[in-house]
Amino acid sequence: MKSLRFCMVTTFYPPWGFGGDGIAVQNLSRALVADGHSVTVLHNVDAFRTVARDADASALPRLEKAYDDGVEVIPISTAWPLASCLQAHQTGRPASYSNAIRRVLDRGFDVIHFHNVSLMGGPGILRFGEGVKIYSAHEHWLVCGMHVLWKNGREPCAKRECIRCTLRAHRPPQLWRYTGALRRAGAHIDAFLAMSEFSRAKHREFGHPYEMLVLPTLVPDVPVLASASPHHRSYFLFSGRLEPIKGLADVIPIFMEPDTAGAADLLVAGTGTQRSELERLANGNPRIRFLGRVEPAELSPYYQHAIATIVPSVGFETLGLSTVESFRASTPVIARRIGPFPDLLDGGAGGLLFSDAAELRLALAELARDPERRRQLATHSRQKFLEHWETAAALPRYLALVERLIQMKHAAAPSRYPALPDPAAARVGLA
């Protein structure tokens, strides 16, 4: 394939971001540059400044840096961050950002790949630019004003009560969601991508009108270097945002019990609005250590030396980046039996599932006290990573999809990517 010009459009991008969506965009962008393509990333600094008000202030100064990786990064901002973000959120259009976005997207890219565009301009931005257009659903924003199908701030959403749910979260409802704006704007997209089969099914269940393809996110492999453990005792790891939906409040009480988990510790990497509450719950227990924000490049040894990574999410994740990063380090996962995790662990390949505190205790004890069982799961986890998410496997699938979409565009075929009846074909983006 000839060298192509890509533009990634996303609300958050490292270091101006917090979650896995920005990291996923960065991983894909760097892989494309390494493969000989040109990549421009367009993202919203205003959104980061607005959301950062709820972040751990001690972590923010570390974020003020740039990367020299061959990716052209173009941040957009205004003199009124909160007002501009609110305007985009409420109108579903780029509004204050329109001119800046058009100047970039009118350059004539071969591929415009939209990611999390919630505060870039909602559905209105999907009309901008030419060339092949792809949308990756890192969250459930296409069908949920709260992005994560987390109802009333306390439970997974099984039935729509969107306005009530939004108001309870102290957010203004997005009235454009009731006008058909997303459906009309979606007609400009050539392929919608889901992160997992579970997420694709949820989008269909909640009314997303267009066919989605399941294309696993790309996570680059990293050399496994011999290193000392970052902690002086054996431990389990949690890595992620400290928010109620992540379920860590269900894990901490178990580590308060003296004989659970083989007396191993719990290391918590991440920050968020729930940090103070979780620290109070831990009550200074020396077995539970809060690391704060850990840079992605510094997480590898924490995964590598952990007995397992605990993924206790109580909501509907689209994938769970910490699961993939744990697999990359040959570390098994203990995940709640919800969302995409039963499929990711594939009947026990790569980790263990739990539904309640009793099952979690058993899983922790099993891996802490049976090194051979842990080794078997670690082998499976590494193999799954190499098959599904590692660059050598994931990038060719992505580029094959891009190539087909370009061919369809040039052949004047309908821009809508056809429904694929074969689940295996849909999973890799090929018919």
Side-chain angles (χ1 to χ4, degrees):
M1 176 184 289
K2 70 173 185 176
S3 176
L4 298 174
R5 299 182 66 211
F6 291 83
C7 185
M8 305 290 170
V9 183
T10 178
T11 295
F12 299 110
Y13 188 77
W16 302 275
F18 305 100
D21 54 344
I23 294 173
V25 177
Q26 186 178 61
N27 288 340
L28 176 58
S29 299
R30 288 174 168 177
L32 287 168
V33 168
D35 198 55
H37 303 281
S38 169
V39 180
T40 297
V41 174
L42 183 62
H43 74 99
N44 189 340
V45 175
D46 282 355
F48 172 76
R49 289 171 177 163
T50 300
V51 177
R53 298 179 181 190
D54 297 326
D56 182 352
S58 66
L60 297 182
R62 301 177 61 195
L63 303 179
E64 297 302 322
K65 65 178 184 181
Y67 298 103
D68 183 16
D69 54 12
V71 178
E72 180 189 25
V73 179
I74 302 178
I76 61 170
S77 63
T78 67
W80 309 276
L82 178 59
S84 297
C85 287
L86 183 62
Q87 190 178 36
H89 182 270
Q90 287 297 285
T91 65
R93 298 175 181 176
S96 300
Y97 306 120
S98 292
N99 291 337
I101 291 172
R102 286 189 185 278
R103 280 195 297 270
V104 177
L105 295 189
D106 286 349
R107 290 184 185 178
F109 292 99
D110 298 299
V111 180
I112 299 176
H113 192 154
F114 297 99
H115 297 272
N116 173 1
V117 297
S118 58
L119 297 181
M120 287 291 288
I125 198 175
L126 304 183
R127 303 172 182 272
F128 287 23
E130 300 295 334
V132 163
K133 294 184 181 181
I134 300 172
Y135 184 97
S136 282
H138 297 274
E139 299 178 318
H140 291 110
W141 173 81
L142 289 168
V143 293
C144 174
M146 298 301 296
H147 298 214
V148 290
L149 294 176
W150 183 240
K151 189 173 181 178
N152 298 324
R154 64 171 182 259
E155 60 187 350
C157 183
K159 180 182 177 182
R160 286 183 179 275
E161 293 181 358
C162 300
I163 292 180
R164 178 184 298 177
C165 178
T166 303
L167 290 174
R168 285 183 174 177
H170 307 291
R171 294 188 186 181
Q174 296 171 304
L175 298 182
W176 56 261
R177 286 186 176 271
Y178 307 94
T179 66
L182 265 171
R183 176 185 289 271
R184 293 191 296 273
H188 294 264
I189 300 299
D190 299 298
F192 284 93
L193 306 183
M195 299 291 106
S196 63
E197 189 63 51
F198 171 84
S199 182
R200 177 165 76 161
K202 277 297 172 186
H203 276 87
R204 184 185 298 120
E205 176 187 342
F206 279 83
H208 180 60
Y210 298 110
E211 175 65 16
M212 300 187 83
L213 307 178
V214 179
L215 198 69
T217 190
L218 182 155
V219 179
D221 202 2
V222 293
V224 178
L225 303 176
S227 63
S229 173
H231 190 61
H232 63 285
R233 287 164 42 87
S234 61
Y235 65 91
F236 291 87
L237 177 69
F238 171 90
S239 176
R241 292 280 289 157
L242 303 187
E243 305 291 343
I245 195 172
K246 295 300 184 179
L248 188 58
D250 294 339
V251 177
I252 287 177
I254 293 176
F255 280 85
M256 302 288 283
E257 303 166 6
D259 297 326
T260 57
D265 292 348
L266 172 65
L267 300 190
V268 178
T271 189
T273 61
Q274 201 187 18
R275 177 169 178 170
S276 296
E277 176 187 338
L278 294 171
E279 288 178 333
R280 286 194 297 271
L281 183 63
N283 195 30
N285 191 307
R287 290 184 60 196
I288 304 170
R289 181 183 174 196
F290 290 85
L291 305 175
R293 179 186 173 92
V294 179
E295 291 291 318
E298 300 170 1
L299 270 173
S300 181
Y302 286 98
Y303 281 116
Q304 181 184 346
H305 292 281
I307 298 172
T309 301
I310 305 174
V311 185
S313 295
V314 291
F316 295 140
E317 302 267 7
T318 56
L319 176 65
L321 183 61
S322 63
T323 301
V324 180
E325 290 177 337
S326 189
F327 285 174
R328 177 176 63 184
S330 300
T331 296
V333 168
I334 299 175
R336 197 181 297 268
R337 192 178 282 105
I338 191 174
F341 301 118
D343 286 340
L344 287 175
L345 299 189
D346 192 20
L352 304 174
L353 295 167
F354 71 93
S355 297
D356 53 31
E359 286 189 342
L360 177 55
R361 287 188 187 91
L362 290 174
L364 294 169
E366 178 177 347
L367 295 191
R369 294 167 179 163
D370 189 344
E372 179 59 24
R373 175 63 168 149
R374 183 200 176 279
R375 187 194 64 79
Q376 293 172 354
L377 293 176
T379 300
H380 287 307
S381 69
R382 176 66 180 175
Q383 187 59 39
K384 286 178 70 69
F385 169 74
L386 293 175
E387 291 175 358
H388 295 283
W389 298 285
E390 197 270 328
T391 302
L395 186 61
R397 294 173 187 150
Y398 175 80
L399 290 174
L401 171 62
V402 167
E403 184 175 23
R404 178 172 177 183
L405 293 174
I406 290 175
Q407 290 172 350
M408 292 173 63
K409 206 87 167 180
H410 288 171
S415 63
R416 171 63 42 227
Y417 198 74
L420 299 179
D422 176 6
R427 202 167 283 119
V428 298
L430 300 173

